[in-house]
Amino acid sequence: MTTTTPAPQVWPTLRARDARGLIAFLVEAFGFEETAVYGEGERVDHAQLDWPPGGGIMLGSDREGDEENPWRLPPGTSGAYAVTDDPDALFERAVKAGAEVLYGPRDTDYGSREFAVRDPEGNLWSFGSYRGEPRRA
């Protein structure tokens, strides 16, 4: 039996009251790479931030009058887990950038070293060394 772990292809999405501020925070605190940002002034219609080990997130500005949009996510209601090879160093970086700590680096019973924080919009972020179980080929 052969096992393999495919490249990440899940892209969590977020809405933000201050999308440009959130982009700056995610780049500074966690090391996301700003790949594309579309919009004018403070409004962000679409942004793509890549996670260096693979995958990433997409986000945009929350808009007044968009309450009936079935895809609307109220700001601060998202959560995501991202793999990192050095959770302790990333935790220190996140704290230095002002992330709200939910819990500091700790070891889990499934072999991960991980931590959890909240960004300025209220979204939950967990980072850890657990890469998931290999898939069967």
Side-chain angles (χ1 to χ4, degrees):
M1 174 177 75
T2 303
T3 61
T4 181
T5 302
Q9 289 302 315
V10 176
W11 293 77
T13 60
L14 307 117
R15 290 281 186 219
R17 289 175 284 281
D18 176 8
R20 293 196 187 270
L22 182 58
I23 291 167
F25 176 83
L26 296 174
V27 169
E28 179 184 350
F30 305 144
F32 277 96
E33 297 170 353
E34 183 179 316
T35 303
V37 179
Y38 301 99
E40 295 183 18
E42 292 301 308
R43 188 188 80 238
V44 173
D45 297 322
H46 168 77
Q48 175 183 327
L49 303 181
D50 290 334
W51 183 239
I57 62 169
M58 296 183 190
L59 66 97
S61 296
D62 191 49
R63 297 180 185 98
E64 269 189 50
D66 202 26
E67 291 79 12
E68 299 303 316
N69 179 346
W71 187 245
R72 181 178 183 268
L73 296 167
T77 62
S78 296
Y81 172 81
V83 174
T84 180
D85 290 329
D86 193 348
D88 293 281
L90 185 56
F91 175 75
E92 293 302 321
R93 178 180 179 160
V95 169
K96 184 177 179 183
E100 177 189 338
V101 176
L102 300 175
Y103 59 84
R106 64 185 187 191
D107 296 320
T108 68
D109 59 354
Y110 50 90
S112 185
R113 177 111 176 122
E114 60 189 38
F115 69 91
V117 295
R118 187 182 314 270
D119 69 29
E121 291 277 337
N123 299 299
L124 304 177
W125 294 90
S126 177
F127 294 89
S129 59
Y130 180 70
R131 297 185 178 279
E133 297 300 317
R135 295 185 181 182
R136 295 182 191 156

